[in-house]
Amino acid sequence: AQKVTQAQTEISVVEKEDVTLDCVYETRDTTYYLFWYKQPPSGELVFLIRRNSFDEQNEISGRYSWNFQKSTSSFNFTITASQVVDSAVYFCALSEAGGETSGSRLTFGEGTQLTVNP
Amino acid sequence: DTGVSQNPRHKITKRGQNVTFRCDPISEHNRLYWYRQTLGQGPEFLTYFQNEAQLEKSRLLSDRFSAERPKGSFSTLEIQRTEQGDSAMYLCASSSTTGAEYGYTFGSGTRLTVV
């Protein structure tokens, strides 16, 4: 069974601080995908990043960066120089690779509420 | 294409009534997923379709819930005899066949409140 744990329920920072959101996952699959989504108060899930299990290179996109470590089953997300607009709930999610006949459903963590104060 | 569309955005219903939600996926996507998200929790998988075939259902999908995807285009999710515990956000997502590899697109959800 797959499981995603986001131990930080809420984080509050002051604008311009760096913040790291933790994600630990469990899976028996050797091929899988990890995702981060942002959910602002309006409710839609906004895709941020997707990584496959064979690519452990860290990724940077503007102020966002991701650290994937298979050895610790972690896929952490760092926001550098946080801004008020970053305030949202962030979800880490895991999916098996799937294929032509298997579903590749997403298993989500419980989310981390990030509040960035001015 | 304007992405995944869900209607209505909000629905308030009395306990015991039936409700139906609609999801219009991205037209090129042959997979469609339904998730339920309760307050303070992450979305939980309910069911998914590949084209018109419903291929997997979660244990969360009780016999009061039914989903259809006629002709492999839009999908409907019906809840019969609603209960207060059904109050949640119902999210729809679509993807190509190998969803994990190419990603999922989510709609804005339908927020159900059962009073």
Side-chain angles (χ1 to χ4, degrees), chain A residues 6 8-11 21-22 88-91 110-114:
Chain A
Q6 294 179 256
Q8 304 150 309
T9 305
E10 296 182 22
I11 299 176
L21 309 182
D22 297 334
V89 181
Y90 290 85
F91 290 99
E110 295 194 348
T112 297
Q113 170 71 61
L114 174 65

Side-chain angles (χ1 to χ4, degrees), chain B residues 17-49:
Chain B
Q17 298 293 306
N18 299 342
V19 294
T20 300
F21 312 139
R22 177 176 171 129
C23 172
D24 288 89
I26 291 174
S27 55
E28 312 88 80
H29 286 174
N30 59 357
R31 284 195 175 173
L32 186 149
Y33 304 78
W34 285 100
Y35 289 81
R36 182 175 71 185
Q37 185 180 17
T38 53
L39 202 60
Q41 302 294 315
E44 295 173 293
F45 171 79
L46 292 178
T47 188
Y48 99 95
F49 293 83

Side-chain angles (χ1 to χ4, degrees), chain A residues 33 35 37 39 41-45 47 50 91 95-111, chain B residues 9 31 33 35 37 40-43 45 48 50 55-58 89 91 97-104 106-108:
Chain A
Y33 291 82
F35 299 78
Y37 285 88
Q39 189 174 46
S42 52
E44 77 274 21
L45 283 168
F47 168 80
R50 173 183 64 252
F91 290 99
S95 176
E96 63 187 8
E100 291 298 318
T101 58
S102 58
S104 60
R105 65 166 77 173
L106 282 167
T107 299
F108 286 86
E110 295 194 348
Chain B
R9 290 295 310 275
R31 284 195 175 173
Y33 304 78
Y35 289 81
Q37 185 180 17
Q41 302 294 315
F45 171 79
Y48 99 95
Q50 181 159 307
L55 297 186
E56 189 174 356
K57 293 194 287 187
S58 161
M89 173 80 89
L91 293 162
T97 300
T98 51
E101 185 174 358
Y102 296 104
Y104 309 83
F106 280 84
S108 297

Side-chain angles (χ1 to χ4, degrees), chain A residues 9-115:
Chain A
T9 305
E10 296 182 22
I11 299 176
S12 182
V13 299
V14 177
E15 209 170 16
K16 298 184 184 177
E17 284 186 21
D18 299 346
V19 57
T20 296
L21 309 182
D22 297 334
C23 173
V24 174
Y25 64 91
E26 297 175 28
T27 180
R28 295 178 189 167
D29 297 324
T30 55
T31 303
Y32 51 90
Y33 291 82
L34 294 163
F35 299 78
W36 276 94
Y37 285 88
K38 175 182 181 179
Q39 189 174 46
S42 52
E44 77 274 21
L45 283 168
V46 178
F47 168 80
L48 296 177
I49 191 172
R50 173 183 64 252
R51 296 301 265 184
N52 73 53
S53 51
F54 298 110
D55 184 0
E56 287 192 71
Q57 283 193 357
N58 293 330
E59 182 158 338
I60 298 174
S61 177
R63 296 184 297 107
Y64 295 169
S65 62
W66 291 270
N67 181 269
F68 175 28
Q69 293 193 346
K70 285 179 77 170
S71 60
T72 55
S73 298
S74 65
F75 186 44
N76 296 337
F77 173 32
T78 297
I79 302 174
T80 302
S82 58
Q83 300 175 0
V84 172
V85 294
D86 295 328
S87 297
V89 181
Y90 290 85
F91 290 99
C92 181
L94 169 68
S95 176
E96 63 187 8
E100 291 298 318
T101 58
S102 58
S104 60
R105 65 166 77 173
L106 282 167
T107 299
F108 286 86
E110 295 194 348
T112 297
Q113 170 71 61
L114 174 65
T115 302

